[in-house]
Amino acid sequence: MKKININSKSIRTLSWLIFIVYILALTKVILFKYSMHMIINIVKENNWTRFIRRVQHNSNYLPLKNIYQLFFSKGNTMYIVRNIIGNIIAFIPLGTLLPILKEKMRKINSILIASLSISISFEVIQLLSGIGDFDINDLILNTSGGLIGLSLYNFLCRYFIDDCH
């Protein structure tokens, strides 16, 4: 079986296009999950008091606390699956596409930093704007997804992609 050459111009162009669409879709899912009318109202009603309440009461700063509670509660199983698995899956493409686009992103530390940085950016935007709450578990799950994506990239390199390393 012939392997794909990721250094060809057409593959690189296609990879950049997929990456841009992916980032836009990720932004839509995370930051624009509500209707635009609802987002505008949330941002309009955002004030210092509500921000302090979100920081003090709605945000989660304890790693794995909510995940532990989700697993041992009698809550909605679909919510658990969407929250935990969804946060991981959402960042797998990041860890797979970045190494294709940039050779220096083929190292675990690079993907770890990129996934964590992008996840922190989304969490802070949600917290500041009021359209969401900060959750340390999202950082952990998103970063894990990025690292799984790098593993997927390495698997693809072994069997399907030429000139990876």
Side-chain angles (χ1 to χ4, degrees), residues 9-160:
K9 186 172 175 99
S10 58
I11 295 295
R12 294 198 60 72
T13 301
L14 180 61
S15 297
W16 274 108
L17 181 63
I18 291 169
F19 182 73
I20 291 166
V21 169
Y22 162 71
I23 291 295
L24 291 172
L26 190 63
T27 301
K28 164 72 173 106
V29 168
I30 295 173
L31 297 180
F32 298 101
K33 54 189 158 224
Y34 308 116
S35 70
M36 193 51 85
H37 178 71
M38 192 172 177
I39 291 171
I40 290 169
N41 285 339
I42 290 169
V43 173
K44 274 184 183 176
E45 293 172 1
N46 194 14
N47 60 39
W48 185 249
T49 304
R50 288 185 178 170
F51 173 73
I52 296 299
R53 187 179 315 126
R54 280 195 312 278
V55 169
Q56 291 178 340
H57 302 290
N58 297 4
S59 297
N60 174 36
Y61 306 105
L62 297 174
L64 307 178
K65 176 186 166 202
N66 290 355
I67 293 173
Y68 178 82
Q69 288 173 342
L70 286 173
F71 275 118
F72 294 102
S73 70
K74 293 182 173 102
N76 184 343
T77 305
M78 283 311 296
Y79 173 78
I80 295 168
V81 170
R82 270 187 300 178
N83 188 21
I84 295 173
I85 304 299
N87 275 301
I88 293 170
I89 289 173
F91 274 68
I92 289 174
L94 184 75
T96 305
L97 288 167
L98 284 178
I100 293 171
L101 299 172
K102 294 286 182 186
E103 193 172 321
K104 69 179 182 178
M105 297 304 289
R106 295 178 183 168
K107 296 180 177 133
I108 194 166
N109 287 344
S110 299
I111 293 299
L112 183 102
I113 290 168
S115 299
L116 184 60
S117 298
I118 291 170
S119 185
I120 286 172
S121 298
F122 281 128
E123 290 297 309
V124 169
I125 290 169
Q126 287 182 98
L127 180 64
L128 293 175
S129 67
I131 58 173
D133 298 315
F134 182 89
D135 190 343
I136 192 79
N137 294 318
D138 289 351
L139 301 179
I140 294 167
L141 296 168
N142 295 160
T143 303
S144 298
L147 295 174
I148 291 168
L150 178 61
S151 298
L152 177 60
Y153 168 80
N154 288 327
F155 171 80
L156 294 172
C157 281
R158 177 171 278 193
Y159 297 106
F160 302 106

